[in-house]
Amino acid sequence: MANVVVVGAQWGDEGKGKIVDWLSSRADVICRFQGGHNAGHTLVVDGEVYKLHALPSGVVRGGKLSVIGNGVVLDPWHLVKEIESIRSQGVEITPETLMIAENTPLILPIHGELDRAREEAAAKGTKIGTTGRGIGPCYEDKVGRRAVRVADLADEATLEARVDRALQHHDPLRKGLGIAPVDRNALVAQLKEIAKEILPYAAPVWKVLNEKRKAGKRILFEGAQGALLDIDFGTYPFVTSSNVIAGQAATGVGMGPGAIDYVLGIVKAYTTRVGEGPFPTELLQADGTPDADGQRLGERGHEFGTTTGRQRRCGWFDAALVRQTCATSGVKGICLTKLDVLDGFETLKICVGYELDGKRLDYLPTAADEQARCTPIYEEMDGWSESTEGARSWAELPAEAIKYVRRVEELIECPVALLSTSPERDDTILVTDPFAD
């Protein structure tokens, strides 16, 4: 019985939600192992659209256990609202179907306030492009050993001590940014009130999951952002505040690396990015706005963020970057999504490397100034005029589309395990079942 980690192998928004949902039919447990509600997964099931931010994608399937791991940072007020929203769509969510790790750090209102204030105060060219939802400041408190965690909600004395320690750090910061001091008693009261909603879901996740593994249950791990936003291996500093790559799956739920049997990388058939930061293949005009091809990709792909609604930046497929993320996450196979968005393009381009100061590179360098100076080296391929939307077998794909997929495999040095041809759950071509590996 294989346990599978699903990671986005670009800058996120690759279609992880649909694939995790599709794979969850083969899994017993679905775990979120990092990130916060700054990312979103959109699932389309029998025409019904579910928008998830903190909840694991497996919640829309009955009979599965969904887990929020300790690698996640959790806004408890947002989670309660999200649970209510998903319940209103007919999905049952109970402590029997959803479990939260007791050592999960909580995002407090002060984290969002600090996040937004710092972004507003940032000098031109230094803004990260955060969602302002407090994810970064919460992770800072976690590593600074001043976080309030789920388990702390169960004991008033401990909770108040944790809040006091956090405010020793936050109040001086707020003063420097011109924000009023935190109303300590009001914050404690808020936490005591939300505790009643959160504690029924709290559990020693590490223990439960290790027991599930020993019993031969299949576990599916999902992250939030894409690998190029990883705090260590992403386009730093324009990254998220946690590790996104597959190795974090073990740490983020409390299991050893031996628990991971297969890593599936989710890869869009082109490239998108939300927020600031380098993007070598971005399709732009001289004035910095999307060119005709970039506009077409955005419109056909409905490239707007699930969480923020922000328009995504669009560009051609970057094989050099995906090859890099496949290496850092140990990807065994990829799921190529949104192939149908490329329908009708007469010519397609794939980035095979970069030119930097007259030298050719087959990877994106680490230094931010060098990343900004990299220009893509393209390989051109013929497009196709037929539709690939909804295809469920290779036989339904145009010959040129198959050639495109095969060339992608060659360039990223990783095979295609699945191919997604629409947002619908069943519009998927299975080549290799990760759980049967």
Side-chain angles (χ1 to χ4, degrees):
M1 293 283 188
N3 295 329
V4 177
V5 178
V6 174
V7 294
Q10 294 160 311
W11 276 290
D13 308 310
E14 302 96 346
K16 293 186 295 297
K18 168 195 165 170
I19 301 305
V20 169
D21 174 60
W22 190 86
L23 286 170
S24 66
S25 65
R26 295 162 169 75
D28 301 296
V29 185
I30 299 91
C31 304
R32 267 286 302 274
F33 64 84
Q34 59 79 220
H37 64 302
N38 55 335
H41 292 158
T42 299
L43 311 182
V44 182
V45 184
D46 298 328
E48 181 82 21
V49 179
Y50 302 93
K51 292 186 179 293
L52 306 177
H53 302 275
L55 289 169
S57 298
V59 296
V60 300
R61 281 194 178 271
K64 310 290 180 181
L65 173 62
S66 290
V67 171
I68 296 174
N70 55 277
V72 172
V73 286
L74 182 67
D75 182 324
W77 297 275
H78 172 89
L79 179 66
V80 168
K81 289 179 182 176
E82 189 171 326
I83 289 173
E84 291 172 354
S85 174
I86 298 301
R87 276 179 178 158
S88 72
Q89 293 183 268
V91 177
E92 183 181 17
I93 299 177
T94 69
E96 285 69 49
T97 62
L98 175 66
M99 188 179 293
I100 304 171
E102 295 170 321
N103 50 340
T104 300
L106 297 177
I107 300 173
L108 310 180
I110 58 175
H111 292 132
E113 292 166 4
L114 177 60
D115 200 357
R116 294 186 290 274
R118 289 199 299 207
E119 191 76 349
E120 288 168 9
K124 186 177 180 181
T126 65
K127 292 183 185 293
I128 301 298
T130 77
T131 59
R133 298 193 172 199
I135 280 76
C138 185
Y139 274 117
E140 290 174 37
D141 279 0
K142 174 182 177 177
V143 298
R145 294 166 292 187
R146 54 180 174 266
V148 177
R149 306 197 297 179
V150 169
D152 300 330
L153 297 174
D155 182 77
E156 289 190 14
T158 300
L159 178 62
E160 294 195 21
R162 294 284 186 271
V163 169
D164 288 340
R165 178 172 172 81
L167 296 192
Q168 288 175 355
H169 173 81
H170 280 268
D171 275 337
L173 276 180
R174 293 168 71 92
K175 184 177 181 180
L177 289 164
I179 312 173
V182 177
D183 185 332
R184 183 262 190 196
N185 292 336
L187 176 57
V188 170
Q190 283 181 283
L191 286 164
K192 288 179 180 177
E193 185 64 27
I194 202 67
K196 302 174 215 173
E197 304 280 353
I198 298 299
L199 285 174
Y201 300 100
V205 158
W206 66 270
K207 184 174 186 295
V208 172
L209 291 182
N210 278 278
E211 288 170 353
K212 295 282 187 186
R213 185 185 176 214
K214 288 177 183 177
K217 301 298 183 182
R218 290 174 167 177
I219 303 171
L220 183 63
F221 304 88
E222 66 165 335
Q225 292 83 16
L228 289 168
L229 294 176
D230 185 273
I231 188 69
D232 288 311
F233 292 98
T235 48
Y236 192 91
F238 303 100
V239 293
T240 195
S241 300
S242 60
N243 286 112
V244 180
I245 59 176
Q248 175 63 21
T251 306
V253 297
M255 301 182 79
I260 299 171
D261 300 301
Y262 191 100
V263 179
L264 179 69
I266 313 299
V267 179
K268 200 175 285 185
Y270 50 102
T271 313
T272 63
R273 173 165 202 170
V274 173
E276 306 298 323
F279 185 173
T281 67
E282 185 173 11
L283 292 164
L284 295 175
Q285 301 182 99
D287 63 359
T289 60
D291 69 11
D293 287 335
Q295 190 72 26
R296 184 176 177 182
L297 288 172
E299 290 172 358
R300 287 180 57 86
H302 306 290
E303 296 298 350
F304 296 92
T306 301
T307 299
T308 63
R310 289 185 292 180
Q311 185 171 356
R312 297 175 187 140
R313 300 154 63 189
C314 296
W316 295 119
F317 185 81
D318 192 331
L321 272 183
V322 174
R323 184 170 58 245
Q324 193 166 327
T325 57
C326 284
T328 56
S329 270
V331 173
K332 292 184 75 171
I334 68 162
C335 173
L336 193 65
T337 68
K338 290 198 169 185
L339 183 68
D340 54 301
V341 175
L342 300 182
D343 292 352
F345 278 90
E346 186 174 332
T347 302
L348 300 171
K349 293 182 180 181
I350 299 177
C351 174
V352 296
Y354 313 103
E355 185 175 300
L356 174 64
D357 302 334
K359 296 180 181 179
R360 179 168 177 147
L361 298 178
D362 62 357
Y363 68 98
L364 191 68
T366 300
D369 64 312
E370 292 184 346
Q371 291 177 353
R373 297 202 310 277
C374 281
T375 58
I377 299 169
Y378 285 119
E379 180 178 293
E380 292 191 358
M381 296 188 68
D382 291 336
W384 54 90
S385 56
E386 306 94 321
S387 174
T388 63
E389 185 174 0
R392 298 184 182 183
S393 71
W394 288 107
E396 298 175 61
L397 295 177
E400 296 304 329
I402 294 174
K403 288 180 183 177
Y404 183 83
V405 174
R406 295 306 186 203
R407 185 58 180 148
V408 164
E409 288 181 312
E410 291 173 359
L411 290 170
I412 67 173
E413 300 172 2
C414 190
V416 168
L418 297 105
L419 193 63
S420 173
T421 56
S422 95
E424 285 291 341
R425 176 191 282 170
D426 294 327
D427 290 343
T428 305
I429 299 171
L430 176 64
V431 181
T432 302
D433 184 348
F435 280 119
D437 184 68

